[in-house]
Amino acid sequence: HHPTLAVIWLSVAAAGILSALSLFWSIPSSFLAGTSVAVGIAGINCVGNLAGFVSPYAVGWLNVTTHDNRMGLYFVAACLVLGALLVRTISGKLADR
């Protein structure tokens, strides 16, 4: 009901996601060495490509099933939070070394 607030929060979310990308891609090289870095980055790309394929279908299915467009966005937000928690867990383990 408030398009201005929606655009502001989407802009904040986009800024957070885009600023985290450069930090995210430095993680594999911080705990992998040699050819393992290439394998780790390839694995990340595979999961990312799979998510890019599955996400639109999942969001569409949630929107049609629940008759509420917010459910698809909540799903995407939950995936982003889960990813952030996983990255935090990995970086926390790296700091303990």
Side-chain angles (χ1 to χ4, degrees):
H1 299 294
H2 303 285
T4 305
L5 285 175
V7 169
I8 289 171
W9 284 114
L10 285 173
S11 299
V12 169
I17 292 167
L18 293 174
S19 64
L21 284 177
S22 60
L23 298 172
F24 172 76
W25 285 108
S26 67
I27 292 173
S29 60
S30 65
F31 67 93
L32 297 173
T35 56
S36 298
V37 175
V39 172
I41 291 173
I44 290 168
N45 280 325
C46 287
V47 170
N49 286 333
L50 181 63
F53 178 76
V54 172
S55 293
Y57 291 106
V59 169
W61 179 79
L62 283 168
N63 290 346
V64 168
T65 304
T66 62
H67 303 291
D68 188 3
N69 291 335
R70 292 178 295 181
M71 291 302 137
L73 293 176
Y74 290 150
F75 170 72
V76 172
C79 289
L80 287 172
V81 169
L82 177 64
L85 291 173
L86 290 172
V87 168
R88 178 66 183 129
T89 303
I90 290 171
S91 64
K93 289 182 180 180
L94 291 175
D96 292 341
R97 281 193 200 183

Coordinates of all heavy atoms in Angstrom, one line a residue:
H1 N 0.8 -1.2 0.0 CA 0.0 0.0 0.0 C 0.9 1.3 0.0 O 0.3 2.3 -0.1 CB -0.9 0.0 1.2 CG -1.9 -1.2 1.2 ND1 -2.9 -1.3 0.2 CD2 -2.0 -2.2 2.0 CE1 -3.5 -2.4 0.5 NE2 -3.0 -3.0 1.5
H2 N 2.2 1.1 0.2 CA 3.1 2.3 0.3 C 4.2 2.0 -0.7 O 5.3 1.5 -0.4 CB 3.6 2.4 1.7 CG 2.6 2.6 2.7 ND1 1.9 3.8 2.9 CD2 2.1 1.8 3.7 CE1 1.0 3.7 3.9 NE2 1.1 2.4 4.4
P3 N 4.0 2.4 -2.0 CA 5.0 2.1 -3.0 C 6.4 2.8 -2.7 O 7.4 2.3 -3.0 CB 4.5 2.7 -4.3 CG 3.1 3.2 -4.0 CD 2.8 3.0 -2.5
T4 N 6.3 4.0 -2.1 CA 7.6 4.7 -1.8 C 8.4 3.9 -0.7 O 9.6 3.7 -0.9 CB 7.3 6.1 -1.2 OG1 6.5 6.8 -2.1 CG2 8.6 6.9 -1.0
L5 N 7.8 3.4 0.3 CA 8.4 2.6 1.3 C 9.0 1.3 0.7 O 10.1 0.8 1.0 CB 7.5 2.3 2.5 CG 7.3 3.4 3.4 CD1 6.3 3.0 4.5 CD2 8.6 3.8 4.1
A6 N 8.2 0.7 -0.2 CA 8.6 -0.5 -0.9 C 9.9 -0.3 -1.7 O 10.8 -1.1 -1.7 CB 7.5 -1.1 -1.8
V7 N 9.9 0.8 -2.4 CA 11.1 1.1 -3.3 C 12.3 1.4 -2.4 O 13.4 0.9 -2.7 CB 10.8 2.3 -4.2 CG1 12.1 2.8 -4.9 CG2 9.8 1.9 -5.3
I8 N 12.1 2.1 -1.3 CA 13.2 2.3 -0.3 C 13.7 1.0 0.2 O 15.0 0.8 0.2 CB 12.7 3.3 0.8 CG1 12.5 4.7 0.2 CG2 13.7 3.3 1.9 CD1 11.8 5.6 1.2
W9 N 12.9 0.1 0.7 CA 13.4 -1.1 1.3 C 14.0 -2.0 0.3 O 14.9 -2.7 0.5 CB 12.2 -1.8 2.1 CG 12.0 -1.1 3.4 CD1 10.9 -0.4 3.7 CD2 12.9 -1.0 4.5 NE1 11.0 0.1 5.0 CE2 12.3 -0.3 5.5 CE3 14.2 -1.5 4.7 CZ2 12.9 0.0 6.7 CZ3 14.8 -1.2 5.9 CH2 14.2 -0.4 6.9
L10 N 13.4 -2.0 -1.0 CA 14.1 -2.8 -2.0 C 15.4 -2.3 -2.4 O 16.4 -3.1 -2.7 CB 13.2 -2.9 -3.2 CG 11.9 -3.8 -3.1 CD1 11.0 -3.6 -4.3 CD2 12.4 -5.2 -3.0
S11 N 15.6 -1.0 -2.3 CA 16.9 -0.4 -2.6 C 17.9 -0.7 -1.5 O 19.1 -1.0 -1.8 CB 16.8 1.1 -2.7 OG 15.9 1.5 -3.8
V12 N 17.4 -0.7 -0.3 CA 18.3 -1.1 0.8 C 18.7 -2.6 0.7 O 19.9 -2.9 0.9 CB 17.6 -0.8 2.2 CG1 18.4 -1.4 3.4 CG2 17.5 0.7 2.4
A13 N 17.8 -3.4 0.4 CA 18.1 -4.8 0.2 C 19.0 -5.1 -0.9 O 20.0 -5.8 -0.8 CB 16.8 -5.6 0.0
A14 N 18.8 -4.4 -2.1 CA 19.7 -4.5 -3.2 C 21.2 -4.0 -2.8 O 22.1 -4.7 -3.2 CB 19.2 -3.8 -4.4
A15 N 21.2 -2.9 -2.1 CA 22.6 -2.4 -1.7 C 23.3 -3.4 -0.8 O 24.5 -3.7 -0.9 CB 22.4 -1.1 -1.0
G16 N 22.5 -4.0 0.1 CA 23.1 -5.0 1.0 C 23.6 -6.3 0.3 O 24.7 -6.8 0.5
I17 N 22.8 -6.7 -0.7 CA 23.2 -7.9 -1.4 C 24.4 -7.7 -2.3 O 25.3 -8.4 -2.3 CB 22.0 -8.4 -2.3 CG1 20.9 -9.0 -1.3 CG2 22.4 -9.5 -3.2 CD1 19.5 -9.2 -2.0
L18 N 24.3 -6.5 -3.0 CA 25.4 -6.2 -3.9 C 26.7 -5.9 -3.2 O 27.8 -6.2 -3.7 CB 25.0 -5.1 -4.9 CG 23.9 -5.4 -5.8 CD1 23.4 -4.2 -6.6 CD2 24.3 -6.5 -6.8
S19 N 26.6 -5.3 -2.0 CA 27.9 -5.0 -1.3 C 28.5 -6.3 -0.7 O 29.7 -6.4 -0.5 CB 27.6 -4.0 -0.2 OG 26.7 -4.5 0.7
A20 N 27.6 -7.3 -0.4 CA 28.1 -8.6 0.1 C 28.8 -9.5 -0.9 O 29.6 -10.3 -0.6 CB 27.0 -9.3 0.8
L21 N 28.5 -9.3 -2.2 CA 29.0 -10.1 -3.2 C 30.5 -10.1 -3.3 O 31.2 -11.2 -3.4 CB 28.4 -9.8 -4.6 CG 27.0 -10.2 -4.8 CD1 26.5 -9.7 -6.2 CD2 26.8 -11.7 -4.7
S22 N 31.1 -9.0 -3.2 CA 32.6 -8.9 -3.3 C 33.3 -9.6 -2.1 O 34.3 -10.3 -2.3 CB 33.1 -7.5 -3.4 OG 32.7 -6.8 -2.3
L23 N 32.7 -9.5 -1.0 CA 33.2 -10.2 0.2 C 33.0 -11.7 0.1 O 33.8 -12.5 0.5 CB 32.5 -9.6 1.5 CG 32.8 -8.2 1.8 CD1 31.9 -7.7 2.9 CD2 34.3 -7.9 2.0
F24 N 31.8 -12.1 -0.4 CA 31.5 -13.5 -0.5 C 32.5 -14.2 -1.4 O 32.9 -15.4 -1.1 CB 30.1 -13.7 -1.1 CG 29.7 -15.1 -1.4 CD1 29.4 -16.0 -0.4 CD2 29.7 -15.6 -2.7 CE1 29.1 -17.3 -0.7 CE2 29.4 -16.9 -3.0 CZ 29.1 -17.7 -2.0
W25 N 32.9 -13.7 -2.5 CA 33.8 -14.4 -3.5 C 35.2 -14.5 -3.0 O 36.0 -15.3 -3.5 CB 33.7 -13.7 -4.8 CG 32.5 -14.0 -5.6 CD1 31.4 -13.2 -5.8 CD2 32.1 -15.3 -6.1 NE1 30.4 -13.9 -6.4 CE2 30.8 -15.2 -6.6 CE3 32.7 -16.6 -6.1 CZ2 30.1 -16.2 -7.2 CZ3 32.0 -17.6 -6.7 CH2 30.7 -17.5 -7.2
S26 N 35.5 -13.8 -1.9 CA 36.9 -14.0 -1.3 C 36.9 -15.2 -0.3 O 38.0 -15.6 0.1 CB 37.3 -12.7 -0.6 OG 36.5 -12.5 0.5
I27 N 35.8 -15.7 0.1 CA 35.8 -16.8 1.1 C 36.4 -18.1 0.6 O 37.2 -18.7 1.3 CB 34.3 -17.0 1.6 CG1 33.9 -15.8 2.4 CG2 34.2 -18.2 2.4 CD1 32.4 -15.8 2.8
P28 N 36.1 -18.6 -0.6 CA 36.7 -19.8 -1.0 C 38.2 -19.8 -1.0 O 38.8 -20.8 -0.6 CB 36.2 -20.1 -2.5 CG 34.9 -19.3 -2.5 CD 35.1 -18.1 -1.6
S29 N 38.8 -18.7 -1.5 CA 40.3 -18.7 -1.5 C 40.9 -18.5 -0.1 O 42.1 -18.7 0.0 CB 40.7 -17.6 -2.4 OG 40.3 -16.3 -2.0
S30 N 40.1 -18.2 0.9 CA 40.6 -18.0 2.2 C 40.8 -19.4 2.9 O 41.6 -19.5 3.9 CB 39.8 -17.1 3.0 OG 38.5 -17.6 3.2
F31 N 40.1 -20.4 2.5 CA 40.2 -21.7 3.2 C 40.5 -22.8 2.3 O 40.6 -24.0 2.7 CB 39.0 -22.0 4.1 CG 37.7 -22.2 3.5 CD1 37.3 -23.5 3.1 CD2 36.9 -21.2 3.2 CE1 36.1 -23.7 2.5 CE2 35.7 -21.4 2.6 CZ 35.3 -22.7 2.3
L32 N 40.6 -22.6 1.0 CA 40.9 -23.6 0.0 C 42.3 -23.2 -0.7 O 42.6 -22.0 -0.7 CB 39.8 -23.7 -1.1 CG 38.5 -24.2 -0.6 CD1 37.5 -24.1 -1.7 CD2 38.6 -25.6 0.0
A33 N 43.0 -24.2 -1.2 CA 44.2 -23.9 -1.9 C 44.3 -24.7 -3.2 O 43.7 -25.7 -3.3 CB 45.4 -24.3 -0.9
G34 N 45.1 -24.1 -4.1 CA 45.4 -24.8 -5.4 C 44.1 -25.0 -6.2 O 43.3 -24.1 -6.4
T35 N 44.0 -26.2 -6.7 CA 42.9 -26.5 -7.6 C 41.6 -26.6 -6.8 O 40.5 -26.5 -7.4 CB 43.1 -27.8 -8.4 OG1 43.3 -28.9 -7.4 CG2 44.3 -27.7 -9.3
S36 N 41.6 -26.8 -5.5 CA 40.4 -26.8 -4.7 C 39.7 -25.5 -4.8 O 38.4 -25.5 -4.7 CB 40.8 -27.1 -3.3 OG 41.4 -28.4 -3.1
V37 N 40.4 -24.4 -5.0 CA 39.7 -23.1 -5.1 C 38.8 -23.1 -6.3 O 37.7 -22.7 -6.3 CB 40.7 -21.9 -5.2 CG1 40.0 -20.6 -5.5 CG2 41.5 -21.9 -3.9
A38 N 39.3 -23.6 -7.4 CA 38.6 -23.7 -8.7 C 37.3 -24.6 -8.5 O 36.2 -24.2 -9.0 CB 39.4 -24.2 -9.8
V39 N 37.5 -25.7 -7.8 CA 36.4 -26.6 -7.6 C 35.4 -25.9 -6.7 O 34.1 -26.0 -6.9 CB 36.9 -27.9 -7.0 CG1 35.7 -28.8 -6.6 CG2 37.8 -28.7 -8.0
G40 N 35.8 -25.2 -5.7 CA 34.9 -24.5 -4.8 C 34.1 -23.5 -5.5 O 32.9 -23.4 -5.3
I41 N 34.8 -22.7 -6.3 CA 34.1 -21.6 -7.0 C 33.1 -22.2 -8.1 O 32.0 -21.7 -8.3 CB 35.1 -20.7 -7.7 CG1 35.8 -19.9 -6.6 CG2 34.4 -19.8 -8.7 CD1 37.0 -19.0 -7.1
A42 N 33.5 -23.3 -8.7 CA 32.6 -24.0 -9.6 C 31.4 -24.5 -8.9 O 30.3 -24.5 -9.4 CB 33.3 -25.1 -10.3
G43 N 31.6 -25.1 -7.7 CA 30.4 -25.6 -6.9 C 29.5 -24.4 -6.6 O 28.3 -24.6 -6.6
I44 N 30.0 -23.3 -6.2 CA 29.2 -22.1 -5.9 C 28.4 -21.7 -7.1 O 27.2 -21.4 -7.0 CB 30.1 -21.0 -5.3 CG1 30.6 -21.3 -4.0 CG2 29.3 -19.7 -5.3 CD1 31.7 -20.4 -3.5
N45 N 29.1 -21.7 -8.3 CA 28.4 -21.3 -9.5 C 27.3 -22.3 -9.9 O 26.2 -21.9 -10.3 CB 29.4 -21.2 -10.6 CG 30.1 -19.9 -10.6 OD1 29.6 -18.9 -10.2 ND2 31.4 -19.9 -11.0
C46 N 27.5 -23.6 -9.6 CA 26.5 -24.6 -9.9 C 25.3 -24.4 -9.0 O 24.1 -24.4 -9.5 CB 27.1 -26.0 -9.7 SG 28.2 -26.5 -11.0
V47 N 25.5 -24.1 -7.8 CA 24.4 -23.9 -6.9 C 23.6 -22.6 -7.2 O 22.4 -22.6 -7.2 CB 24.8 -23.9 -5.4 CG1 23.7 -23.4 -4.5 CG2 25.3 -25.3 -5.0
G48 N 24.4 -21.6 -7.6 CA 23.8 -20.3 -8.0 C 23.0 -20.5 -9.3 O 21.9 -19.9 -9.4
N49 N 23.5 -21.2 -10.2 CA 22.7 -21.4 -11.5 C 21.5 -22.3 -11.2 O 20.4 -22.0 -11.8 CB 23.6 -22.1 -12.5 CG 24.6 -21.1 -13.1 OD1 24.4 -19.9 -13.2 ND2 25.7 -21.7 -13.6
L50 N 21.6 -23.3 -10.3 CA 20.4 -24.0 -10.0 C 19.4 -23.2 -9.3 O 18.2 -23.3 -9.6 CB 20.8 -25.2 -9.1 CG 19.7 -26.1 -8.7 CD1 19.1 -26.8 -9.9 CD2 20.2 -27.2 -7.7
A51 N 19.8 -22.3 -8.4 CA 18.9 -21.4 -7.7 C 18.2 -20.4 -8.7 O 17.0 -20.1 -8.6 CB 19.6 -20.6 -6.6
G52 N 19.0 -20.0 -9.7 CA 18.4 -19.1 -10.7 C 17.4 -19.8 -11.5 O 16.5 -19.1 -12.1
F53 N 17.5 -21.1 -11.7 CA 16.5 -21.8 -12.4 C 15.2 -22.2 -11.6 O 14.1 -22.1 -12.0 CB 17.1 -23.1 -13.0 CG 16.1 -24.0 -13.8 CD1 15.7 -23.6 -15.1 CD2 15.6 -25.1 -13.2 CE1 14.9 -24.4 -15.8 CE2 14.7 -25.9 -13.9 CZ 14.3 -25.5 -15.2
V54 N 15.5 -22.6 -10.3 CA 14.4 -23.1 -9.5 C 13.6 -21.9 -8.8 O 12.4 -22.1 -8.7 CB 15.0 -24.0 -8.4 CG1 13.9 -24.4 -7.4 CG2 15.5 -25.3 -9.1
S55 N 14.3 -20.9 -8.5 CA 13.6 -19.8 -7.7 C 12.4 -19.2 -8.4 O 11.3 -19.0 -7.8 CB 14.6 -18.7 -7.5 OG 15.6 -19.1 -6.6
P56 N 12.4 -18.9 -9.7 CA 11.2 -18.3 -10.3 C 10.0 -19.3 -10.3 O 8.9 -18.9 -10.1 CB 11.6 -18.1 -11.8 CG 13.1 -17.9 -11.8 CD 13.5 -18.8 -10.7
Y57 N 10.3 -20.6 -10.4 CA 9.2 -21.6 -10.3 C 8.7 -21.7 -8.9 O 7.5 -21.8 -8.7 CB 9.7 -23.0 -10.8 CG 10.0 -23.0 -12.3 CD1 11.3 -23.0 -12.8 CD2 9.0 -23.0 -13.2 CE1 11.6 -23.1 -14.1 CE2 9.2 -23.1 -14.6 CZ 10.5 -23.1 -15.0 OH 10.8 -23.1 -16.4
A58 N 9.6 -21.7 -7.9 CA 9.2 -21.7 -6.5 C 8.4 -20.5 -6.1 O 7.3 -20.6 -5.5 CB 10.4 -21.9 -5.6
V59 N 8.8 -19.4 -6.6 CA 8.1 -18.1 -6.2 C 6.7 -18.1 -6.9 O 5.7 -17.8 -6.3 CB 8.9 -16.9 -6.6 CG1 8.1 -15.6 -6.6 CG2 10.1 -16.8 -5.7
G60 N 6.7 -18.5 -8.2 CA 5.4 -18.6 -8.9 C 4.5 -19.6 -8.3 O 3.3 -19.3 -8.1
W61 N 5.0 -20.8 -7.9 CA 4.2 -21.8 -7.3 C 3.6 -21.3 -5.9 O 2.4 -21.5 -5.6 CB 5.0 -23.1 -7.0 CG 4.2 -24.1 -6.4 CD1 3.3 -25.0 -6.9 CD2 4.3 -24.5 -5.0 NE1 2.8 -25.8 -6.0 CE2 3.4 -25.5 -4.8 CE3 5.0 -24.0 -3.9 CZ2 3.2 -26.1 -3.5 CZ3 4.8 -24.6 -2.7 CH2 3.9 -25.6 -2.5
L62 N 4.4 -20.6 -5.1 CA 4.0 -20.1 -3.9 C 2.9 -19.0 -4.1 O 1.9 -18.9 -3.3 CB 5.1 -19.5 -3.1 CG 6.0 -20.5 -2.4 CD1 7.3 -19.9 -1.8 CD2 5.2 -21.2 -1.2
N63 N 3.1 -18.2 -5.1 CA 2.1 -17.1 -5.4 C 0.8 -17.7 -5.8 O -0.3 -17.2 -5.3 CB 2.6 -16.2 -6.4 CG 3.8 -15.3 -6.0 OD1 4.0 -15.2 -4.8 ND2 4.5 -14.7 -6.9
V64 N 0.8 -18.7 -6.6 CA -0.4 -19.3 -7.1 C -1.1 -20.1 -6.0 O -2.3 -20.1 -5.8 CB -0.1 -20.2 -8.3 CG1 -1.3 -21.1 -8.7 CG2 0.2 -19.3 -9.5
T65 N -0.3 -20.9 -5.2 CA -0.9 -21.8 -4.2 C -1.5 -21.0 -3.1 O -2.5 -21.3 -2.6 CB 0.2 -22.7 -3.6 OG1 0.8 -23.4 -4.7 CG2 -0.3 -23.7 -2.6
T66 N -0.8 -19.9 -2.6 CA -1.3 -19.2 -1.5 C -2.1 -18.0 -1.8 O -2.7 -17.3 -1.0 CB -0.1 -18.7 -0.6 OG1 0.7 -17.8 -1.4 CG2 0.8 -19.8 -0.1
H67 N -2.2 -17.6 -3.1 CA -2.9 -16.5 -3.6 C -2.4 -15.2 -2.9 O -3.2 -14.3 -2.7 CB -4.4 -16.6 -3.4 CG -4.9 -17.8 -4.1 ND1 -5.0 -18.0 -5.4 CD2 -5.4 -19.0 -3.6 CE1 -5.5 -19.1 -5.7 NE2 -5.8 -19.8 -4.6
D68 N -1.1 -15.1 -2.6 CA -0.5 -14.0 -1.9 C 0.9 -13.8 -2.5 O 1.7 -14.7 -2.3 CB -0.5 -14.2 -0.4 CG -0.1 -13.0 0.4 OD1 0.1 -11.9 -0.2 OD2 0.0 -13.1 1.6
N69 N 1.1 -12.6 -3.1 CA 2.4 -12.4 -3.7 C 3.5 -12.2 -2.6 O 4.7 -12.4 -3.0 CB 2.4 -11.1 -4.5 CG 1.5 -11.3 -5.8 OD1 1.4 -12.4 -6.3 ND2 1.0 -10.2 -6.3
R70 N 3.2 -12.0 -1.4 CA 4.2 -11.8 -0.4 C 4.9 -13.1 0.0 O 6.0 -13.1 0.4 CB 3.5 -11.2 0.9 CG 3.1 -9.8 0.7 CD 2.4 -9.2 1.9 NE 1.2 -10.0 2.1 CZ 0.4 -9.8 3.1 NH1 0.6 -8.9 4.0 NH2 -0.7 -10.5 3.2
M71 N 4.2 -14.2 -0.2 CA 4.8 -15.5 0.2 C 6.0 -15.8 -0.6 O 7.0 -16.3 -0.1 CB 3.8 -16.6 0.0 CG 2.7 -16.6 1.0 SD 3.3 -16.6 2.7 CE 2.3 -15.4 3.5
G72 N 6.0 -15.5 -1.9 CA 7.2 -15.7 -2.8 C 8.3 -14.9 -2.3 O 9.5 -15.3 -2.3
L73 N 8.0 -13.6 -2.0 CA 9.1 -12.7 -1.5 C 9.6 -13.1 -0.2 O 10.8 -13.0 0.1 CB 8.6 -11.3 -1.5 CG 8.2 -10.7 -2.8 CD1 7.7 -9.3 -2.6 CD2 9.5 -10.6 -3.7
Y74 N 8.7 -13.7 0.7 CA 9.2 -14.2 2.0 C 10.1 -15.4 1.8 O 11.1 -15.5 2.5 CB 8.0 -14.6 2.9 CG 7.2 -13.4 3.4 CD1 5.9 -13.6 3.7 CD2 7.8 -12.2 3.6 CE1 5.1 -12.5 4.2 CE2 7.0 -11.1 4.1 CZ 5.7 -11.3 4.4 OH 5.0 -10.2 4.9
F75 N 9.8 -16.2 0.8 CA 10.7 -17.3 0.5 C 12.1 -16.9 0.1 O 13.1 -17.4 0.5 CB 10.0 -18.2 -0.6 CG 10.9 -19.3 -1.2 CD1 11.2 -20.4 -0.4 CD2 11.4 -19.1 -2.4 CE1 12.1 -21.4 -0.9 CE2 12.2 -20.1 -3.0 CZ 12.6 -21.2 -2.2
V76 N 12.1 -15.9 -0.8 CA 13.4 -15.4 -1.3 C 14.2 -14.8 -0.1 O 15.4 -15.0 0.0 CB 13.2 -14.4 -2.4 CG1 14.5 -13.7 -2.8 CG2 12.6 -15.1 -3.6
A77 N 13.5 -14.0 0.7 CA 14.1 -13.4 1.9 C 14.6 -14.5 2.8 O 15.7 -14.3 3.4 CB 13.1 -12.5 2.6
A78 N 13.9 -15.5 3.1 CA 14.3 -16.6 3.9 C 15.6 -17.3 3.4 O 16.5 -17.6 4.1 CB 13.2 -17.6 4.1
C79 N 15.6 -17.5 2.1 CA 16.8 -18.0 1.4 C 18.0 -17.1 1.6 O 19.1 -17.6 1.9 CB 16.6 -18.3 -0.1 SG 15.4 -19.7 -0.4
L80 N 17.8 -15.8 1.5 CA 18.9 -14.9 1.7 C 19.4 -14.9 3.1 O 20.6 -14.9 3.4 CB 18.5 -13.5 1.3 CG 18.3 -13.2 -0.2 CD1 17.7 -11.9 -0.5 CD2 19.7 -13.3 -0.9
V81 N 18.5 -15.0 4.1 CA 18.9 -15.0 5.5 C 19.6 -16.3 5.8 O 20.7 -16.3 6.5 CB 17.7 -14.9 6.4 CG1 18.0 -15.2 7.9 CG2 17.1 -13.5 6.3
L82 N 19.2 -17.4 5.2 CA 19.8 -18.7 5.4 C 21.2 -18.7 4.8 O 22.2 -19.1 5.5 CB 19.0 -19.8 4.8 CG 19.7 -21.2 4.8 CD1 19.8 -21.7 6.3 CD2 18.8 -22.2 4.0
G83 N 21.4 -18.1 3.7 CA 22.7 -17.9 3.1 C 23.6 -17.1 3.9 O 24.8 -17.4 4.1
A84 N 23.1 -16.0 4.4 CA 23.9 -15.1 5.3 C 24.4 -15.8 6.5 O 25.5 -15.7 7.0 CB 23.1 -13.9 5.7
L85 N 23.5 -16.6 7.1 CA 23.8 -17.4 8.3 C 24.9 -18.5 8.0 O 25.8 -18.7 8.8 CB 22.6 -18.1 8.9 CG 21.6 -17.1 9.6 CD1 20.3 -17.9 10.0 CD2 22.2 -16.4 10.8
L86 N 24.8 -19.1 6.9 CA 25.8 -20.1 6.5 C 27.2 -19.4 6.2 O 28.2 -20.0 6.7 CB 25.3 -20.8 5.2 CG 24.2 -21.8 5.4 CD1 23.7 -22.3 4.0 CD2 24.6 -22.9 6.3
V87 N 27.2 -18.3 5.6 CA 28.4 -17.6 5.4 C 29.0 -17.1 6.7 O 30.2 -17.2 6.9 CB 28.2 -16.4 4.4 CG1 29.4 -15.5 4.4 CG2 27.9 -16.9 3.0
R88 N 28.2 -16.7 7.6 CA 28.6 -16.2 8.9 C 29.2 -17.4 9.7 O 30.2 -17.3 10.4 CB 27.5 -15.6 9.7 CG 27.8 -15.2 11.1 CD 28.8 -14.1 11.1 NE 29.2 -13.7 12.4 CZ 30.4 -13.6 12.9 NH1 31.4 -13.8 12.1 NH2 30.7 -13.4 14.1
T89 N 28.6 -18.6 9.6 CA 29.1 -19.8 10.2 C 30.5 -20.2 9.7 O 31.4 -20.4 10.4 CB 28.2 -21.0 10.1 OG1 26.9 -20.6 10.6 CG2 28.7 -22.2 10.7
I90 N 30.6 -20.1 8.4 CA 31.9 -20.4 7.7 C 33.0 -19.4 8.1 O 34.1 -19.8 8.5 CB 31.8 -20.5 6.2 CG1 31.0 -21.7 5.8 CG2 33.1 -20.6 5.5 CD1 30.6 -21.8 4.4
S91 N 32.6 -18.2 8.1 CA 33.6 -17.1 8.4 C 34.0 -17.2 9.9 O 35.1 -16.9 10.3 CB 33.1 -15.7 8.0 OG 32.0 -15.4 8.7
G92 N 33.0 -17.6 10.7 CA 33.3 -17.7 12.2 C 34.3 -18.8 12.4 O 35.2 -18.7 13.2
K93 N 34.2 -19.9 11.7 CA 35.1 -21.0 11.8 C 36.5 -20.7 11.3 O 37.5 -21.1 11.8 CB 34.6 -22.3 11.1 CG 33.4 -22.9 11.8 CD 32.9 -24.1 11.1 CE 31.7 -24.7 11.8 NZ 31.2 -25.9 11.2
L94 N 36.5 -19.8 10.2 CA 37.8 -19.4 9.7 C 38.5 -18.5 10.7 O 39.8 -18.6 10.8 CB 37.6 -18.7 8.4 CG 37.2 -19.5 7.2 CD1 36.9 -18.6 6.0 CD2 38.2 -20.5 6.9
A95 N 37.8 -17.7 11.4 CA 38.4 -16.8 12.4 C 39.0 -17.6 13.6 O 39.9 -17.1 14.2 CB 37.4 -15.8 12.9
D96 N 38.4 -18.7 13.9 CA 38.9 -19.6 15.0 C 40.2 -20.3 14.7 O 40.8 -20.8 15.6 CB 37.8 -20.6 15.4 CG 36.6 -20.0 16.0 OD1 36.7 -18.8 16.4 OD2 35.5 -20.6 16.0
R97 N 40.5 -20.3 13.4 CA 41.8 -21.1 13.1 C 43.0 -20.4 13.6 O 43.3 -19.3 13.6 CB 41.9 -21.2 11.6 CG 41.1 -22.3 11.0 CD 41.5 -22.5 9.6 NE 40.5 -23.2 8.9 CZ 40.8 -23.6 7.6 NH1 41.9 -23.3 7.1 NH2 39.9 -24.2 7.0

